[in-house]
Amino acid sequence: MGLRELKKQQTRELLADTAMELFAERGFEQVTVVEVARAAGVSPNTVFNYFPTKEDLFFDRQDEVVAHLAEVVRRRPAGSSAADAVRADLRAGVADGEPTVGLNPEMGTFWRIIADSPALRARLLELGERAEAALAAVLAEESGADPKDPLPRVMAGALAGAHRAVLAEIRRAMVAGEPAVAVRERVEAAVERAFGLLGSGLAGYPAGH
């Protein structure tokens, strides 16, 4: 990474971190972009250059989140199904405390901010829909489906829906202040059962990987 890119990355991280501190202290709806800019020591235009909307400031890793499931399926080991890949990824994320999975006590504040904000809840739904669409595109590509064939979209809905439901359970438990260890055990068991059922029906899908 060149010096210019490094400086841009540092500025982006400063803005996102500053915004999160203010959101955690006062709530998302009560903080303006102007206040974020002032706290970070930059102009409002600088903030908008990096983050077009206030929601983007909060979900600063949204592009990574949207692409994640599609990349997991695309890069899965030869011979494994899409369901196997998503289950393995979820299992690892829950066990390792992956930030985007959110199963650690520090994420309770993050989830509470979302729960208290209609705008953030709407953006979270949008991110889920975009992730599902990206997954459907990969499934369609690998299965060689006709563009009019709804099967890849339906299968993506099943997998992405199960993935979202697991994250929603984690979010609910973290907001409620449940111990992370207990939540992890419960969620791991649910992942194994749910994806075991999904996997039995999707074991050969998409074929030819």
Side-chain angles (χ1 to χ4, degrees):
M1 183 182 295
L3 183 60
R4 179 182 175 83
E5 290 303 312
L6 177 60
K7 185 175 181 180
K8 289 174 65 175
Q9 180 64 27
Q10 291 172 338
T11 300
R12 181 181 177 85
E13 291 175 357
L14 169 66
L15 294 173
D17 291 346
T18 301
M20 189 59 67
E21 290 177 6
L22 293 175
F23 297 151
E25 179 183 338
R26 294 162 48 195
F28 180 80
E29 311 293 347
Q30 285 68 47
V31 176
T32 68
V33 172
V34 171
E35 289 171 322
V36 172
R38 185 183 303 123
V42 302
S43 71
N45 283 343
T46 297
V47 179
F48 286 120
N49 285 339
Y50 286 87
F51 300 99
T53 70
K54 191 169 70 165
E55 289 81 3
D56 294 326
L57 262 171
F58 185 86
F59 290 112
D60 61 302
R61 297 179 62 181
Q62 62 183 336
D63 290 343
E64 175 186 336
V65 170
V66 166
H68 183 73
L69 282 181
E71 287 303 307
V72 164
V73 170
R74 190 188 301 277
R75 298 178 180 178
R76 71 191 186 279
S80 64
S81 69
D84 291 336
V86 175
R87 173 169 53 184
D89 180 71
L90 258 181
R91 185 191 296 133
V94 169
D96 299 341
E98 159 60 34
T100 56
V101 171
L103 210 171
N104 61 66
E106 290 76 16
M107 290 298 292
T109 298
F110 180 86
W111 295 128
R112 275 190 289 274
I113 296 171
I114 295 175
D116 292 339
S117 169
L120 291 179
R121 293 199 302 274
R123 174 59 68 89
L124 190 63
L125 287 174
E126 178 192 335
L127 295 179
E129 291 173 353
R130 288 167 56 193
E132 183 177 316
L135 175 58
V138 170
L139 294 178
E141 175 188 333
E142 293 197 0
S143 63
D146 185 278
K148 294 182 180 180
D149 185 352
L151 185 60
R153 294 187 290 277
V154 173
M155 294 299 97
L159 291 172
H163 188 273
R164 282 198 301 272
V166 171
L167 299 191
E169 173 60 19
I170 291 172
R171 181 168 68 250
R172 184 203 64 75
M174 291 295 96
V175 169
E178 295 185 32
V181 172
V183 177
R184 179 176 292 108
E185 292 177 355
R186 185 169 75 244
V187 168
E188 285 177 338
V191 167
E192 292 307 310
R193 292 184 63 189
F195 279 85
L197 293 170
L198 280 172
S200 64
L202 302 177
Y205 187 82
H209 180 74

